Amino acid sequence: MTGTPETEAEILGAIGFLNEVMARYPQAISFAPGAPLLDGITRERVIAAVDEVAGHSGAPGWNALFQYGPSQGIVNADLARALSAAGACTVGATDITITVGAQEGFILVLRALELHRRGTLGIVAPAFAGIRGAATFMGAQTVDVLEGPEGVTAADLEAACGRADALGEPLRALYVAPDFANPSGTVIPRQARLELLHAARGRQVLLIEDTTYGFTDPDVPPSLKALDEHGVVIQVGTFSKVCFPGARVGYVVADQPWNGSTLATWLATLKNTTTVNTPALSQAMVAGLVLSDPAALAERQRMLRNSYRDKRNLLLTALDDEFPDASELGLSWNRPTGGFFVVMQTRRDLDHAALQHCAACHRVLWTPMRDFYAGRAGDTMLRLSCSHVPNDQIREGVRRLGAFLRETSQDAAAQ
């Protein structure tokens, strides 16, 4: 049912492995991490942001930011206003739980749904390694739902439900990233979103919506949560990409009725026994930098969007120039209009050992796509992240990648 990769340790360690390789080869040009730009994030700006939040009328002040805080969060009202202003969804402060990054959000949601006890989690694949790791950590049974060129469809959901029902463990939730999914860059069209919502309601399947990369294109359709009229969507978000990942602030929008209150409130109760609370100081940083003023958030998103677009265009142009013989080499790649990533198809297996060889001999890093699937579907593909590479290093990084791929092509021809 799961098409499980080789070991549990590989699933849980996929992200850590990349960090280890990057640390081992600091001089390599790295297309590996989905790390954000930190333009405008300085020590002085962060301190000023927290000062601003602590000094607001009715605010708890600096001393309270050094203490434990409520498990559900302290910036919920600010976030609810920001989501409403952006048209992302209209919810109240009590419908939100602030988490230690999106990763804690996934873990809390899976625990609340008791997927470790019954039912199956569908994962639209390829998928962010963190959701697969969270499911493994929680002991949840999973099934990959392979996406098409426009993401997952209602028919895909129906087919996955049929497979799960046949094995006696009904599909209870589906993880989906509708906007520039990591790593594939797919975007689900508006009509397909409506059909997916209809199918989810009919099948009583909750959709766990990952919104991480939607801000990278202002023309994406409304989020699943914004279109949801029947409470089938749980939205998970993060400020790692629009603020900075070191703050470790994410959130879950979960307004479904639950145990006499809302699911968000139950998530906060569960959080009491994990991280207790998301650090108030971190929440204040995010609030002061982008949340307390919706216009500031919109402006930062616009600035980052333009920068990522330029980097993506540089990467795609460099690939076109480096591989005029792409078809002869068995290479192809997608051309996303948003997000951080480009996915390349090759003829060779590209596992962790191949990455380490490439790092040692060619001084360029990428991510094996096998980490984004259960099973072998991604074995001959790699992911290139353009988000964090300096513009003046992108072409040189692609040149080094070209040397590696031509070397592997020659090895394949010799076998």
Side-chain angles (χ1 to χ4, degrees), residues 123-351:
I123 298 178
V124 177
F128 167 54
I131 185 64
R132 203 175 300 284
T136 300
F137 177 75
M138 290 304 304
Q141 177 165 277
T142 67
V143 58
D144 271 14
V145 181
L146 298 181
E147 67 175 12
E150 293 187 330
V152 69
T153 66
D156 295 327
L157 174 59
E158 292 284 358
C161 286
R163 295 197 305 273
D165 288 345
L167 293 173
E169 288 291 349
L171 199 75
R172 297 188 55 232
L174 178 71
Y175 166 86
V176 56
D179 304 318
F180 306 111
N182 174 12
S184 65
T186 56
V187 177
I188 301 177
R190 181 189 177 101
Q191 183 57 37
R193 295 178 190 223
L194 294 172
E195 293 168 0
L196 182 63
L197 287 165
H198 180 75
R201 183 190 181 201
R203 283 289 194 166
Q204 296 185 311
V205 171
L206 289 168
L207 301 179
I208 303 172
E209 179 185 30
D210 183 343
T211 63
T212 301
Y213 299 98
F215 77 94
T216 59
D217 185 343
D219 297 323
V220 294
S223 69
L224 291 172
K225 190 63 181 172
L227 296 170
D228 180 21
E229 297 180 351
H230 301 287
V232 300
V233 178
I234 301 168
Q235 187 180 87
V236 180
T238 178
F239 290 100
S240 290
K241 311 304 183 186
V242 298
C243 198
F244 63 102
R248 302 308 303 134
V249 177
Y251 61 90
V252 180
V253 178
D255 54 350
Q256 291 79 5
W258 209 270
N259 293 344
S261 184
T262 65
L263 177 55
T265 301
W266 179 238
L267 296 177
T269 300
L270 295 175
K271 185 177 168 66
N272 280 323
T273 61
T274 56
T275 54
V276 181
N277 64 286
T278 301
L281 191 57
S282 292
Q283 293 182 67
M285 292 175 191
V286 170
L289 288 168
V290 295
L291 261 189
S292 56
D293 179 4
L297 175 58
E299 173 56 26
R300 180 154 184 83
Q301 289 176 330
R302 185 198 64 79
M303 182 273 290
L304 291 172
R305 183 184 305 131
N306 291 340
S307 296
Y308 294 138
R309 179 199 60 213
D310 292 345
K311 287 177 176 293
R312 190 170 57 252
N313 290 342
L314 284 170
L315 175 58
L316 291 170
T317 299
L319 289 170
D320 290 338
D321 292 346
E322 178 64 27
F323 301 110
D325 54 348
S327 59
E328 297 173 21
L329 293 170
L331 303 177
S332 61
W333 53 87
N334 63 341
R335 308 187 77 87
T337 59
F340 285 10
F341 312 108
V342 170
V343 174
M344 177 179 280
Q345 174 71 58
T346 79
R347 287 176 178 160
R348 288 295 306 273
D349 282 355
L350 296 170
D351 56 12

Side-chain angles (χ1 to χ4, degrees), residues 342-384:
V342 170
V343 174
M344 177 179 280
Q345 174 71 58
T346 79
R347 287 176 178 160
R348 288 295 306 273
D349 282 355
L350 296 170
D351 56 12
H352 288 174
L355 171 59
Q356 293 189 77
H357 170 77
C358 185
C361 297
H362 297 278
R363 292 296 191 268
V364 64
L365 301 174
W366 36 268
T367 305
M369 280 288 288
R370 67 187 307 163
D371 291 339
F372 301 97
Y373 291 91
R376 317 294 303 188
D379 281 8
T380 58
M381 294 185 284
L382 60 84
R383 187 194 76 174
L384 299 172

Side-chain angles (χ1 to χ4, degrees), residues 371-411:
D371 291 339
F372 301 97
Y373 291 91
R376 317 294 303 188
D379 281 8
T380 58
M381 294 185 284
L382 60 84
R383 187 194 76 174
L384 299 172
S385 174
C386 61
S387 60
H388 197 62
V389 184
N391 288 6
D392 60 1
Q393 292 184 18
I394 289 177
R395 185 168 290 274
E396 172 59 17
V398 170
R399 186 197 66 76
R400 297 181 188 184
L401 177 66
F404 166 73
L405 291 174
R406 288 187 171 89
E407 171 191 281
T408 59
S409 179
Q410 292 168 1
D411 290 345

